[in-house]
Amino acid sequence: MHRPAQRDQRDQREQRPARRGPRLNRLLVCAAAVPMVLVAAGCSSDSGSGGDGKQQQSSASPSKSASANAVRPAAYTTLPEACAVLPRKTLEELVPKGAKSGKEGRSEDTKTRASCSWSSLQNNGVKGSQFRWLNVSLLRFESDAARGEGDKLARTYYDKQVREARSVPGAQNTRSEPVAGAGDEATAVRYDLKKKEGAFKQQTVVARVENVVITLDYNGAGLAGEKTPNADDLTKAAEQAVKTAVAAVSAANQEGGGAVVPPSTSPSKSASPSKSPSPSASKSAVKGASPTASSGTGRS
């Protein structure tokens, strides 16, 4: 009579694990699901933070690129009137018969490019004539994100102008020297040039002040038997004239403007031919007398 009871108890003991099995399985499944949820949440959190970082980087990159492309504004924003760069007194010494003959060069924007030229023919009768030609060219460079800062662009152009002045075809006895007191840098180049009208003494002075380059061409010749002018005198006159032009550029960019104050030392009087009463010379006598190399407007 006890066996069935024992069997029942044994059966109950054998059945209990069977009943606990499904519950344990459910617990294990749930326990396994919890890390997966945490992992999924962690991945979601990481991807979110990564996205924010990319957004922050992308939002910060435009400002960095903008600062990288930024250039320093050019110092000078305008140019003086080309035919008013040199005062009347200076013109009377350099081109005594042509102080009023200033001819402005063509320019689409006189704030960035300007030029003016003067010519003088003084007839000395049977001795011949003294010829002078003067040209002043001004070129201003703007700062540009693609090309660079204005003063650096001007420096490149300055170097180019000096090289061209030193390598004029047909030039003889070429000499060049730095000029002190004419802007940030200046160079004077002089040479002889023979033309059918006579022997010309050519002076080219190139000066840079900040983002502006000034090229001053000045030549002289004795025609029809008149003596050739002294090259040293012409060079000194040209150097002094370019200093005056540099002062004019600075004055034009001062707040409220201001009159041009030329340097205290004026060009040498010996640079201009001696005055003597004589009949006026025919214009055809010097037609084409100015050497092609001296055309300052062509180089600017």
Side-chain angles (χ1 to χ4, degrees), residues 82-115:
C83 290
V85 163
L86 300 177
R88 179 68 178 271
K89 182 179 179 181
T90 299
L91 292 173
E92 289 177 348
E93 293 175 348
L94 270 66
V95 283
K97 292 296 182 179
K100 299 180 181 179
S101 67
K103 183 178 180 181
E104 187 175 359
R106 293 183 179 180
S107 176
E108 296 180 356
D109 184 4
T110 56
K111 289 186 176 182
T112 59
R113 182 189 296 268
S115 65

Side-chain angles (χ1 to χ4, degrees), residues 279-294:
S280 59
S282 170
K283 293 183 179 179
S284 60
V286 292
K287 186 177 181 180
S290 175
T292 56
S294 64

Side-chain angles (χ1 to χ4, degrees), residues 13 15 40 66 73 97 107 110 124 224 273 278 285:
R13 285 195 301 270
Q15 291 175 0
K97 292 296 182 179
S107 176
T110 56
N124 294 324
S278 59

Side-chain angles (χ1 to χ4, degrees), residues 116-133:
C116 191
S117 61
W118 299 261
S119 62
S120 171
L121 178 65
Q122 182 170 324
N123 191 321
N124 294 324
V126 295
K127 293 183 178 180
S129 303
Q130 283 288 340
F131 175 76
R132 299 289 185 274
W133 184 81

Side-chain angles (χ1 to χ4, degrees), residues 265-281:
T265 305
S266 60
S268 172
K269 291 185 178 181
S270 59
S272 61
S274 59
K275 297 183 180 179
S276 59
S278 59
S280 59

Side-chain angles (χ1 to χ4, degrees), residues 31 214 253:
I214 302 168
N253 286 272

Side-chain angles (χ1 to χ4, degrees), residues 21-32:
R23 185 186 306 170
L24 181 60
N25 290 337
R26 285 197 300 271
L27 291 174
L28 292 175
V29 170
C30 292

